[in-house]
Amino acid sequence: MTFCLQVALWLRSRAPVHLASRHVHKLSSLRKATSLPPKKMQSLLYPFSGLEAYLDRSVDRMQFQLFHPSMEDMMEAEKLFCSSPSHRIDYYVSAERMDHAPALKQSEVCFIGRSNVGKSSLIKALFSLTPEVEVRVSKTPGHTKKMNFFKVGKAFTLVDMPGYGHRAPKDFVDMVEPYLYTRKNLVRTFLLVDGSVGLQKADHIALEMCEETRCPYVMVVTKIDKCGQGALLTNLLNLQDVINTQTSSCFPQPFLISSVNYWGIHLLRCFITHESVRVILQTQMGLCLL
């Protein structure tokens, strides 16, 4: 069964989900993105494609294209990020400690990263088709002080974690580590790295923490619009080398993102949908077998 069919069947098992008609960013919807010239649309959907021409022939390009869904796949995934009366997307609750976290059974994905890496901006872009969802974005690093839970219907919960490093909450470790180690419904952690500066010391510590938990995680390279292609390629290849040589639980492909230009947002939505729906279907199949 193809991924597109899996998502379509799962969505049809719920009440219909309709695309919002409210005013949203011009590139937040795939239907609007298709009006772009072919090369610009390609760069929007698959940001790595814009860097391929600058890579040496010896570099293996497949490692950057392992998850390469079709336009149809991304169209189906997009529906999961559109709120409706039967599929509500909304902020749910915040928690300062693990014992304050809600007891939810549905799949969870969490986002962690260094302060000022663009985490809240990314989450806001992911939810841009439902603009009434309140995702606070501040120019001051370290604005997020709690674990913020956003429910995406009955499909999954997205958790925005406090930033580490500069201006991180004093109890960051006590807050985040128990969650990563003990949250049984956590299906994927998204570790954000600033593409304009590359991996920093604090990022290496976070990466080691993700490795110790042995929970699957993926690297997301943010702010790719903030630097030149040369610097971005250097940082990307250094990151890829770390993934290849120092990790065992990390998805081999990093995701390139610009929350300003929406590069890579549709691809990341599709990956998140793939993870959450896959777990739902596996659970349902397990129940059927029982």
Side-chain angles (χ1 to χ4, degrees), residues 125-279:
L126 291 172
F127 287 147
S128 58
L129 292 169
T130 308
E132 67 269 22
V133 175
E134 185 179 0
V135 182
R136 296 182 178 179
V137 178
S138 174
K139 294 182 179 180
T140 304
H143 178 75
T144 304
K145 300 295 184 183
K146 302 177 181 179
M147 297 182 287
N148 297 317
F149 293 75
F150 298 86
K151 292 188 71 174
V152 181
K154 295 182 180 179
F156 67 94
T157 302
L158 187 151
V159 187
D160 182 10
M161 308 297 278
Y164 53 78
H166 180 62
R167 295 190 178 180
K170 294 180 180 179
D171 54 353
F172 172 84
V173 173
D174 295 334
M175 188 188 310
V176 175
E177 276 199 354
Y179 174 86
L180 295 179
Y181 275 94
T182 65
R183 196 69 165 177
K184 294 183 179 179
N185 55 331
L186 176 63
V187 297
R188 185 76 67 167
T189 296
F190 292 83
L191 176 56
L192 277 57
V193 175
D194 188 334
S196 63
V197 298
L199 280 170
Q200 302 293 294
K201 182 178 180 180
D203 297 321
H204 281 283
I205 295 173
L207 189 147
E208 291 172 3
M209 181 172 62
C210 288
E211 281 292 311
E212 289 175 1
T213 66
R214 297 190 177 182
C215 179
Y217 67 102
V218 62
M219 307 292 285
V220 178
V221 182
T222 64
K223 300 186 179 182
I224 64 172
D225 56 293
K226 301 293 185 183
C227 59
Q229 291 175 322
L232 176 59
L233 267 177
T234 298
N235 293 332
L236 179 61
L237 292 176
N238 288 339
L239 173 62
Q240 190 66 53
D241 183 60
V242 170
I243 292 174
N244 292 340
T245 61
Q246 300 180 29
T247 72
S248 59
S249 300
C250 185
F251 187 68
Q253 174 185 336
F255 286 79
L256 302 174
I257 293 291
S258 167
S259 300
V260 176
N261 298 328
Y262 276 70
W263 297 335
I265 294 296
H266 305 87
L267 184 66
L268 188 58
R269 281 181 185 152
C270 195
F271 185 78
I272 294 170
T273 300
H274 176 272
E275 291 299 292
S276 58
V277 173
R278 176 181 59 82
V279 172

Side-chain angles (χ1 to χ4, degrees), residues 8-224:
L9 289 175
W10 187 84
L11 285 169
R12 288 168 191 163
S13 70
R14 329 302 303 173
V17 177
H18 302 287
L19 292 178
S21 59
R22 295 173 300 274
H23 175 72
V24 295
H25 189 282
K26 62 180 180 180
L27 295 178
S28 61
S29 168
L30 266 173
R31 294 191 185 281
K32 294 182 179 179
T34 55
S35 64
L36 294 172
K39 286 188 177 180
K40 287 189 175 181
M41 186 178 73
Q42 181 77 1
S43 296
L44 174 75
L45 301 183
Y46 311 101
F48 176 74
S49 65
L51 297 175
E52 281 192 87
Y54 301 93
L55 283 174
D56 188 89
R57 291 183 179 180
S58 62
V59 177
D60 178 13
R61 287 155 171 75
M62 285 302 298
Q63 61 188 334
F64 299 103
Q65 300 170 321
L66 296 173
F67 185 75
H68 196 79
S70 66
M71 174 76 76
E72 186 181 13
D73 288 333
M74 287 191 270
M75 283 285 191
E76 287 296 331
E78 184 176 278
K79 296 176 183 178
L80 212 58
F81 288 84
C82 298
S83 189
S84 74
S86 59
H87 178 76
R88 292 191 60 81
I89 301 174
D90 207 355
Y91 162 78
Y92 184 60
V93 72
S94 296
E96 293 184 350
R97 296 281 181 174
M98 189 58 197
D99 53 4
H100 297 161
L104 300 172
K105 294 183 179 180
Q106 63 193 43
S107 302
E108 284 184 1
V109 295
C110 79
F111 285 67
I112 64 173
R114 192 165 52 85
S115 296
N116 203 34
V117 75
K119 182 162 46 61
S120 296
S121 295
L122 171 55
I123 294 172
K124 190 176 182 68
L126 291 172
F127 287 147
S128 58
L129 292 169
T130 308
E132 67 269 22
V133 175
E134 185 179 0
V135 182
R136 296 182 178 179
V137 178
S138 174
K139 294 182 179 180
T140 304
H143 178 75
T144 304
K145 300 295 184 183
K146 302 177 181 179
M147 297 182 287
N148 297 317
F149 293 75
F150 298 86
K151 292 188 71 174
V152 181
K154 295 182 180 179
F156 67 94
T157 302
L158 187 151
V159 187
D160 182 10
M161 308 297 278
Y164 53 78
H166 180 62
R167 295 190 178 180
K170 294 180 180 179
D171 54 353
F172 172 84
V173 173
D174 295 334
M175 188 188 310
V176 175
E177 276 199 354
Y179 174 86
L180 295 179
Y181 275 94
T182 65
R183 196 69 165 177
K184 294 183 179 179
N185 55 331
L186 176 63
V187 297
R188 185 76 67 167
T189 296
F190 292 83
L191 176 56
L192 277 57
V193 175
D194 188 334
S196 63
V197 298
L199 280 170
Q200 302 293 294
K201 182 178 180 180
D203 297 321
H204 281 283
I205 295 173
L207 189 147
E208 291 172 3
M209 181 172 62
C210 288
E211 281 292 311
E212 289 175 1
T213 66
R214 297 190 177 182
C215 179
Y217 67 102
V218 62
M219 307 292 285
V220 178
V221 182
T222 64
K223 300 186 179 182
I224 64 172

